[in-house]
Amino acid sequence: MRRIVIWSASTLGALLVLLSYSTSTGRAATHISSPAVAGAAPAAGATTGSAGSSEAGTTYTGDVMSTQWGPVQVQITVSGGRVTSADAVQVPTGNPRDEQINGYAVPVYESETVTAQSADIDAVSGATVTWQGYTGSLQSALDEAGL
């Protein structure tokens, strides 16, 4: 009987250790809706935002934000005092997983930017680091546009 108890306890312990192990690609994001950008800072030697204009509106390019996975930069188009489009001109592409995550997250961020008319957008699960860089760059473009 004693052997069964010891065997059961060790099996349960090993199972708990295996289930609690997290891989580097298994990062779970939490729902974040604050415009604060912790961990994202302008990249060293990064250019500041710039503006250009066209018939469709004026474009403003935010600062390049350095994240742990790579640089993120956002460009917005403003017409009539409203953001009419947002485009991520730089996102992390260091590996296929980055491309997969950003492939589904960035279009959501771009759409939410136009809807929210601010950098107060929700993070997509699994793309929190890109969200941090995106909202930081977006806020600098919005500041430059005076919005």
Side-chain angles (χ1 to χ4, degrees):
M1 179 71 177
R2 185 173 179 226
R3 287 184 186 174
I4 292 173
V5 171
I6 292 173
W7 177 83
S8 297
S10 63
T11 302
L12 182 60
L15 184 60
L16 288 174
V17 168
L18 287 173
L19 293 176
S20 66
Y21 180 75
S22 65
T23 62
S24 62
T25 60
R27 297 175 187 246
T30 57
H31 179 75
I32 303 171
S33 62
S34 168
V37 181
T47 59
T48 57
S50 60
S53 84
S54 69
E55 287 182 21
T58 304
T59 59
Y60 299 92
T61 305
D63 295 336
V64 175
M65 301 304 286
S66 178
T67 71
Q68 72 187 71
W69 304 121
V72 179
Q73 187 175 30
V74 178
Q75 182 178 63
I76 60 172
T77 302
V78 177
S79 181
R82 294 189 51 81
V83 177
T84 57
S85 72
D87 298 300
V89 293
Q90 280 191 67
V91 293
T93 58
N95 61 57
R97 182 70 175 146
D98 288 340
E99 292 174 9
Q100 178 187 19
I101 290 169
N102 293 324
Y104 70 81
V106 170
V108 172
Y109 294 153
E110 292 170 344
S111 174
E112 283 192 20
T113 298
V114 175
T115 302
Q117 294 293 305
S118 73
D120 187 18
I121 59 174
D122 293 335
V124 172
S125 180
T128 304
V129 172
T130 299
W131 172 85
Q132 290 172 335
Y134 184 93
T135 55
S137 182
L138 173 60
Q139 187 61 57
S140 71
L142 290 168
D143 290 345
E144 188 177 337
L147 299 174

